[in-house]
């Protein structure tokens, strides 16, 4: 065969192999046997070895990568890879829709595109000139790991996308750069086979397909990844190729040559159609060849989706509507009480260890006394437990028919199991609390939380050292940490001079803290990391947060009633205020959240009146805050601008009297730029 013939033959083989790959791995159709396809691949490989000048980056032979990597490079995502909030109930779906409606002008009607939520690993793929160029994991959402070589081994990922079906104007754009997102997953049969092989080789088995997929993608040797039979489902088109809806994005993905689930996914004109889809998928779930853990519901209209923006790390316009978690049965060997950071006593069932959803479970929460009564769960009972996401498993049912008569009822202790103080149940609350505010257990948990990574992040100050500090009466609450010196620490057991100095240095460094971390560190009930960030961005100083009323808090979009109540209670409690004062006395410097960009609106106070032409009131307020301005509800001499829409009402006249500058929505948007 001469050079010219070889080139032609290589081209033809490439095309044919790729066609069969697409049929088999994307469309689940098979025209020729595996052996026949392997034979074609073998011929191509031989030819390319002879004529290496004809090896193209999209040749099927390039799927099995070269040498193992020493480590993965980091890749910055052009657009952050977000995660989704989870719900389990239809009422929660309705809440989600209502929250979104509140943020949108009334005339917008919401429709949805619902798709299967693959239980795998999120991946982003970038194509240049139509050829697969780079792929990365989600990582922390902003920076992921470059796993290009491993992704190339996945047959369902095209090495070259099909741009021919796009309108010519968009072809150019897509050639420049095309970014696609989706899920790498493993089929049930491939997962079972993999675990069989692991067992034969005396290697640990994978707990679930998600772990298996994640572990396989993060192999430094792409030959191992290739042996794992991973799969890919696309769900997101990052590049604007004219898609006006999420559904259109899926259709384009399909045209480009991806498996995009278009036959299993569904357009839903309203939420009740979503519910119907969710139910239908639930019935089919076990017969699908892969695992899903729910359905993802997207607001179909792209513009509306973008308009709703992001809260925390999740887009407001999409949500994961999940299925109840997997269950197993086991025996309750004991019920013990734990004292948590809020002082609440939580009964915990100690179980005969059992495997649920791929991991061993030995403890399950019983939440509170009412729950134990409702379940009528007794020590010795056989129970059904279930795991929901990453939350601790819970007991869902006691199987009373299996009782022998030896079972024992559980009673909530009347005294705190840690400090012996009286246990009380507050009016209107289900939880019991230790009445001793300085309860060792309470304090200990609070201090652990206070110095933890997401809070003050004091390096070296772990639970063991905190226990020692408490036992030796060196600290009684978190504020005392900032008064420690090296001579306090050195006498402690197993403490070297150097590590004492290191800790004191870390404590000094931790005195400068962002407002969000500070709020989180306080350990206010129901205030997690994201809520702390929301509060910080909204109030900007601890003083303002402290003065906020229940109504002020409840008005914030992200803050629900229970959370608002908890925050306002915290800041009305004498002990909390004393603690705050002590912390500030110790020289804690709280940094105000950064205003992303300096705008003309920074530091200015705005009041909105009347109906604005394009923004809803909440949208306008959010935009003002994001630009560093303040959005107030009533006019005063401190108001800088009144933003007036149609039918402005009495505020308009008042603003004139006070000499407050009156501007239109258009002028507002200019100020915010
Ligand atoms: Zn106690």
């Amino acid at each position: 065969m001469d050079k010219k013939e070889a080139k032609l033959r290589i081209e033809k083989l490439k095309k044919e192999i790729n066609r069969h790959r697409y049929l088999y791995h994307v469309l689940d159709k098979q025209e020729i046997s595996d052996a026949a396809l392997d034979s074609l691949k073998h011929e191509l490989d031989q030819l390319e070895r002879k004529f290496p000048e004809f090896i193209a980056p999209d040749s099927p032979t390039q799927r099995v990568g070269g040498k193992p990597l020493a480590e993965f490079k980091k890749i910055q995502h052009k657009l952050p890879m977000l995660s989704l909030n989870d719900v389990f109930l239809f009422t929660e779906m309705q809440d989600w829709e209502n929250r979104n409606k509140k943020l949108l002008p009334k005339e917008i009607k919401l429709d949805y595109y619902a798709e299967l939520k693959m239980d795998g690993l999120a991946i982003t793929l970038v194509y240049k000139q139509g050829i697969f160029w780079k792929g990365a994991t989600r990582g922390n959402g902003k920076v992921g790991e470059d796993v290009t070589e491993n992704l190339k081994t996945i047959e369902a990922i095209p090495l070259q996308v099909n741009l021919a079906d796009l309108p010519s104007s968009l072809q150019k754009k897509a050639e420049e750069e095309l970014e696609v997102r989706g899920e790498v997953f493993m089929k049930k049969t491939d997962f079972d086979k993999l675990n069989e092989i692991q067992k034969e080789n005396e290697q640990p088995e994978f707990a679930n397909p998600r772990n298996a997929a994640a572990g396989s993608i993060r192999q430094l040797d792409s030959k191992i990844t290739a042996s794992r039979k991973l799969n890919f489902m696309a769900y997101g088109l990052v590049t604007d190729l004219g898609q006006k809806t999420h559904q259109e994005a899926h259709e384009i993905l399909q045209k480009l040559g991806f498996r995009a689930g278009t036959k299993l996914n569904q357009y839903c004109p309203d939420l009740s159609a979503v519910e119907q889809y969710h139910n239908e998928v639930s019935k089919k779930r076990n017969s699908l060849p892969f695992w899903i853990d729910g359905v993802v519901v997207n607001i179909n209209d792209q513009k509306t989706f973008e308009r709703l923006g992001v809260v925390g790390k999740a887009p407001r316009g999409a949500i994961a509507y999940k299925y109840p978690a997997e269950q197993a049965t086991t025996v309750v060997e004991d019920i013990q009480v734990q004292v948590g950071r809020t002082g609440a006593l939580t009964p915990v069932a100690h179980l005969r260890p059992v495997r649920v959803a791929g991991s061993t479970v030995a403890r399950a929460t019983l939440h509170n006394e009412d729950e134990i009564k409702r379940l009528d769960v007794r020590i010795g009972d056989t129970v059904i437990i279930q795991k929901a996401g990453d939350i601790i498993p819970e007991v869902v049912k006691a199987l009373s028919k299996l009782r022998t008569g030896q079972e024992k009822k559980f009673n909530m202790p009347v005294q705190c199991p840690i400090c012996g103080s009286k246990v009380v149940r507050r009016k209107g609350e289900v939880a019991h609390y230790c009445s001793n505010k300085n309860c060792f257990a309470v304090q200990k948990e609070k201090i652990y939380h206070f110095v933890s990574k997401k809070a003050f992040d004091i390096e070296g100050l772990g639970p063991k050292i905190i226990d020692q500090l408490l036992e030796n009466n060196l600290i009684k609450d978190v504020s005392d940490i900032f008064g420690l010196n090296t001579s306090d620490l050195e006498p402690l057991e197993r403490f070297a001079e150097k590590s004492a100095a290191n800790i004191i240095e870390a404590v000094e460094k931790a005195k400068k803290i962002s407002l969000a971390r500070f709020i989180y560190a306080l350990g206010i009930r129901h205030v997690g990391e994201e809520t702390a960030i929301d509060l910080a961005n909204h109030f900007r100083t601890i003083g303002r947060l402290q003065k906020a009323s229940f109504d002020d808090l409840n008005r914030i979009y992200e803050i629900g009633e229970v959370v608002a109540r908890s925050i306002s209670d915290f800041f009305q409690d004498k002990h909390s205020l004393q603690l705050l004062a002590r912390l500030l006395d110790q020289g804690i410097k709280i940094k105000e959240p950064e205003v992303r960009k300096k705008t003309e609106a920074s530091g200015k106070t705005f009041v909105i009146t009347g109906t604005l032409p394009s923004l809803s009131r909440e949208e306008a307020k959010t935009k003002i805050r994001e630009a560093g301005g303040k959005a107030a509800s009533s006019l005063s001499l401190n108001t800088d601008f009144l933003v007036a829409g149609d039918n402005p009402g009495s505020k308009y006249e008042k603003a004139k009297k006070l000499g407050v500058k009156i501007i239109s929505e258009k002028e507002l948007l200019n100020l915010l730029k």
Side-chain angles (χ1 to χ4, degrees):
M1 194 178 282
D2 69 14
K3 236 177 157 168
K4 212 173 138 198
E5 286 167 341
K7 191 180 178 203
L8 201 68
R9 181 71 180 165
I10 285 175
E11 271 307 311
K12 293 219 154 171
L13 282 169
K14 245 176 67 181
K15 260 201 175 144
E16 184 63 2
I17 294 168
N18 193 42
R19 191 175 73 83
H20 288 292
R21 171 200 69 82
Y22 178 74
L23 280 175
Y24 186 71
H25 291 283
V26 178
L27 301 183
D28 292 316
K29 283 180 197 151
Q30 189 167 14
E31 275 182 14
I32 60 175
S33 70
D34 290 356
L37 185 58
D38 280 345
S39 176
L40 291 177
K41 281 184 189 164
H42 183 73
E43 188 194 338
L44 177 65
D45 188 44
Q46 294 295 316
L47 267 177
E48 283 184 345
R49 273 168 207 266
K50 230 166 140 184
F51 301 95
E53 62 268 41
F54 298 137
I55 300 178
D58 62 340
S59 167
T61 57
Q62 299 307 298
R63 287 194 181 268
V64 181
K67 287 194 193 109
L69 302 170
E71 60 173 356
F72 293 115
K73 287 201 194 102
K74 299 272 181 255
I75 281 195
Q76 176 103 28
H77 300 308
K78 263 196 177 167
L79 267 179
M81 288 182 78
L82 301 169
S83 46
L84 293 177
N85 289 327
D86 288 347
V87 300
F88 288 88
L89 302 171
F90 186 58
T91 54
E92 294 172 311
M93 289 296 289
Q94 289 169 317
D95 291 345
W96 171 64
E97 179 172 82
N98 289 335
R99 279 203 304 279
N100 286 333
K101 277 186 176 164
K102 242 169 58 178
L103 286 176
L104 293 167
K106 277 200 184 75
E107 63 274 14
I108 289 187
K109 197 186 160 297
L110 294 176
D111 59 355
Y112 300 96
Y113 186 72
E115 57 196 281
L116 302 182
K117 186 174 183 305
M118 311 299 292
D119 199 9
L121 180 76
I123 286 288
T124 190
L125 307 171
V126 180
Y127 289 79
K128 294 212 176 194
Q129 304 303 318
I131 306 282
F132 178 44
W133 178 64
K134 273 214 179 334
T137 59
R138 185 207 306 271
N140 65 4
K142 291 192 183 100
V143 177
E145 284 179 324
D146 180 344
V147 289
T148 310
E149 290 310 311
N150 292 344
L151 292 170
K152 274 187 190 167
T153 70
I154 302 176
E155 300 267 3
I157 295 179
L159 295 178
Q160 180 172 25
V161 281
N162 168 32
L163 301 178
D165 292 345
L166 292 176
S168 55
S169 59
L170 292 172
Q171 269 178 33
K172 250 212 155 79
K173 191 168 185 196
E175 264 173 26
E176 223 164 81
E177 186 172 296
L178 173 76
E179 186 166 356
V180 168
R181 290 191 178 160
E183 197 92 348
V184 166
F185 65 96
M186 202 176 260
K187 282 190 177 173
K188 286 174 183 171
T189 47
D190 291 328
F191 174 71
D192 292 340
K193 267 184 225 156
L194 172 62
N195 264 351
E196 252 167 58
I197 295 169
Q198 292 287 105
K199 218 156 100 188
E200 270 168 33
N201 297 336
E202 290 178 4
Q203 295 289 315
E205 289 174 55
F206 290 98
N208 54 53
R210 193 194 316 125
N211 288 353
S216 305
I217 274 299
R218 297 196 68 265
Q219 289 287 337
L220 291 167
D221 184 352
S222 59
K223 291 203 173 69
I224 299 179
T225 312
S227 72
R228 296 278 171 87
K229 305 262 184 252
L230 295 169
N231 223 307
F232 183 76
M233 178 86 89
Y235 57 63
L237 179 58
V238 177
T239 311
D240 179 4
L241 294 182
Q243 65 272 28
K244 291 198 175 60
T245 64
H246 197 74
Q247 183 173 18
E248 279 174 29
H250 274 259
E251 285 158 6
I252 295 171
L253 286 167
Q254 180 115 326
K255 277 188 198 159
L256 292 169
F258 292 95
R259 180 200 287 269
T262 44
K263 274 190 197 133
L264 299 158
N265 302 341
Q266 196 169 300
Y267 168 77
C268 300
D270 55 27
L271 263 198
S272 67
V274 169
E275 180 64 358
Q276 206 181 340
Y277 172 75
H278 187 257
N279 287 337
E280 278 163 19
V281 172
S282 173
K283 279 178 221 150
K284 282 188 224 153
R285 203 177 151 204
N286 286 328
S287 56
L288 290 171
F290 40 74
W291 278 267
I292 58 165
D293 53 357
V295 302
V296 175
V297 184
N298 291 277
I299 287 181
N300 199 29
D301 183 64
Q302 193 77 16
K303 269 202 187 128
T304 310
F305 181 91
E306 277 161 22
R307 185 171 189 163
L308 283 167
V310 172
V311 60
K313 286 181 189 143
R316 289 196 178 93
I319 201 156
Y321 187 6
K322 293 184 114 178
Y323 293 111
E326 285 191 43
Q327 301 186 335
T329 60
T330 186
V331 172
V332 177
E333 293 180 332
D334 199 359
I335 295 174
Q336 289 178 13
V337 168
Q338 271 184 359
V339 183
R341 161 164 70 82
T342 57
L345 271 59
T346 307
V348 175
H350 290 240
L351 309 165
R352 185 176 295 163
V354 62
R355 299 271 293 176
V356 191
S359 62
T360 303
V361 170
R363 286 142 63 92
T365 180
L366 287 160
H367 299 290
N368 52 57
E369 190 180 39
D370 287 0
E371 182 71 0
I372 293 179
K373 280 189 184 145
R374 188 183 71 80
L375 294 165
D376 185 26
V377 63
R378 303 175 192 180
I379 298 162
D381 263 344
T382 301
V383 291
I384 298 175
I385 59 162
Q386 88 173 4
K387 238 170 102 177
D390 294 320
I391 312 161
I392 326 161
E394 54 182 4
V395 174
V396 284
K397 193 178 167 68
L399 301 173
S400 57
K401 293 223 162 61
L402 295 176
R403 279 183 188 148
T404 62
Q406 300 294 304
E407 291 75 13
K408 277 188 288 186
K409 279 201 177 178
F410 170 80
N411 291 309
M412 209 62 184
V414 287
Q415 286 181 317
C416 170
I418 310 289
C419 73
S421 302
K422 212 171 113 186
V423 167
V424 292
R425 186 170 178 172
R426 294 180 200 148
K427 218 179 159 189
E429 283 220 37
V430 288
H432 286 71
Y433 289 85
C434 170
S435 61
N436 173 12
K437 288 241 162 167
N438 302 311
C439 172
F440 185 68
V442 177
Q443 283 302 3
K444 201 165 79 169
E445 289 294 326
K446 272 190 184 157
I447 298 171
Y448 292 172
H449 173 78
F450 191 86
V451 301
S452 65
K453 269 234 131 40
K454 291 174 180 171
F456 269 75
D457 191 18
I458 302 179
E459 215 187 318
L461 198 58
K464 273 195 190 136
I465 296 169
I466 289 167
D467 289 357
Q468 285 192 55
L469 292 170
L470 281 165
E471 277 154 19
N472 290 286
N473 293 321
L474 285 164
I475 54 173
K476 61 179 185 313
D477 67 31
V478 289
S479 69
D480 293 325
I481 290 172
F482 297 98
L484 289 171
N485 55 50
T486 44
S487 60
D488 288 327
L489 296 169
E490 274 162 18
L492 298 177
E493 235 180 284
R494 291 186 301 258
F495 231 97
E497 200 180 324
K498 192 163 170 277
S499 51
N502 285 345
I503 288 183
I504 298 302
E505 205 190 316
V507 167
E508 267 313 304
K509 234 172 77 189
K511 282 186 178 173
K512 271 193 198 143
I513 187 166
S514 73
L515 179 57
R517 277 172 175 269
F518 184 80
I519 296 168
Y520 176 72
L522 290 175
I524 305 167
R525 215 149 32 105
H526 305 308
V527 177
E529 204 190 352
E530 296 298 346
T531 307
I533 292 170
D534 292 334
L535 289 169
N537 287 335
H538 190 91
F539 291 102
R540 312 200 70 77
T541 70
I542 189 71
R544 258 180 249 148
L545 170 60
Q546 199 180 323
K547 280 186 215 121
S549 67
F550 168 75
D551 287 332
D552 293 338
L553 291 158
N554 197 27
R555 264 200 295 272
I556 304 172
Y557 171 81
E558 291 88 354
I559 309 285
E561 206 177 308
V562 176
V563 185
R565 173 63 60 208
S566 168
I567 298 166
S568 102
D569 284 355
F570 178 89
F571 285 108
Q572 273 166 29
D573 179 49
K574 198 174 67 198
H575 294 92
S576 322
L577 297 180
Q578 284 167 352
L579 177 68
L580 270 179
R582 277 204 302 277
L583 281 169
L584 297 178
D585 279 347
Q586 293 279 21
I588 305 284
K589 293 265 174 302
I590 305 171
K591 282 180 289 180
E592 231 187 280
E594 271 174 28
V595 177
R596 252 169 257 144
K597 46 192 175 172
K598 190 91 180 150
T599 65
E600 282 183 70
S602 302
K604 298 280 195 291
T605 301
F606 294 78
V607 172
I608 303 165
T609 185
T611 313
L612 301 180
S614 81
L615 297 171
S616 78
R617 201 166 280 197
E618 278 310 312
E619 274 182 316
K621 283 184 181 176
T622 306
K623 279 192 193 294
I624 288 167
R625 286 186 199 114
E626 279 171 0
K630 282 169 238 154
S633 50
S634 59
L635 272 173
S636 73
L637 284 169
N638 296 326
T639 312
D640 295 294
F641 296 100
L642 178 76
V643 187
D646 287 345
N647 307 319
S650 65
K651 278 190 182 145
Y652 194 88
E653 293 305 316
K654 193 176 167 194
K656 269 192 185 165
K657 259 186 221 156
L658 289 171
V660 171
K661 192 160 184 217
I662 300 170
I663 58 170
S664 67
E665 181 191 89
K666 204 173 153 204
E667 288 168 301
L668 170 68
L669 291 172
N670 275 333
L671 283 176
L672 300 180
K673 264 185 200 145

